[in-house]
Amino acid sequence: MEGLRPPGRCSVSQPYPPWQPWQGSGAPSMLASHADRERAVDVLRAGYGEGRLEHGEFEKRVGRAYAARTVGELALLVADLPQGPLPQSASFAPVPASFLPVPRPRTNGKAVAAGVCGLLCVPTMGLTGIPAVVLGHVARAEIRSRGELGEGLALTGLVLGWLSTAGWALVLVLLTVVSVVAS
């Protein structure tokens, strides 16, 4: 039985480690039940899973746990392992920024306005074409410099604004040509 004691844990005045919650309500010399053995093996598995025991030592201790006759023998097998969750202090450190979710970039407001003005070119008969072009160029510059979203909206406003402006320019040129020819 001496080989089972962890070094520096047990003394002559205290032959067994202090009572642990998993041990039930028995004294160290009380015969161990199957449930006591399983609880001890669970503690050993947790210690092995946390890297506190090497595989060979884990196997040896599990074998001794299933062969143990008393609760005291089981206590010696797990005396150098934590018997459950360790208490945490009330103050927790904040989560480092590297583990926080990356904030999604916001959509550029001028890009939204450019897209709306571009779509309104048809019902307003091209009145919003020039604002769509101006807002689209400004929005694309801001999107590149700030890393915001909305490139598609700005491009939509630009294309529809330029088409509207080009259409009106064509109408004005045709009206001018017709008025010159008619006079």
Side-chain angles (χ1 to χ4, degrees), residues 38-130:
E38 289 301 323
R39 282 191 290 270
V41 169
D42 285 343
V43 171
L44 291 170
R45 283 186 187 124
Y48 176 68
E50 294 170 352
R52 298 177 191 276
L53 298 172
E54 297 292 327
H55 184 69
E57 183 181 4
F58 167 71
E59 292 291 330
K60 186 186 291 185
R61 286 190 190 196
V62 167
R64 288 181 179 173
Y66 285 124
R69 299 239 332 123
T70 65
V71 173
E73 291 176 50
L74 294 173
L76 290 174
L77 290 172
V78 297
D80 58 345
L81 298 172
Q83 305 296 315
L86 299 175
Q88 297 287 328
S89 64
S91 63
F92 291 102
V95 177
S98 59
F99 294 114
L100 293 175
V102 177
R104 185 169 183 232
R106 64 182 202 90
T107 303
N108 186 289
K110 290 182 180 107
V112 173
V116 169
C117 286
L119 291 173
L120 289 176
C121 283
V122 174
T124 63
M125 300 171 84
L127 204 59
T128 58
I130 293 176

Side-chain angles (χ1 to χ4, degrees), residues 19-36:
W19 176 84
Q20 299 293 329
W22 66 269
Q23 294 171 334
S25 59
S29 61
M30 179 185 286
L31 291 176
S33 68
H34 294 297
D36 291 331

Side-chain angles (χ1 to χ4, degrees), residues 5 9 15-16 41-42 52 62 67 79 83 96 101 114 117 129 134-136 145 151 162 165-167 174:
R5 290 188 178 168
R9 287 288 187 161
Y16 297 102
V41 169
D42 285 343
R52 298 177 191 276
V62 167
Q83 305 296 315
C117 286
V134 171
L135 286 169
S145 67
E151 181 70 26
W162 277 117
T165 305
L174 286 176

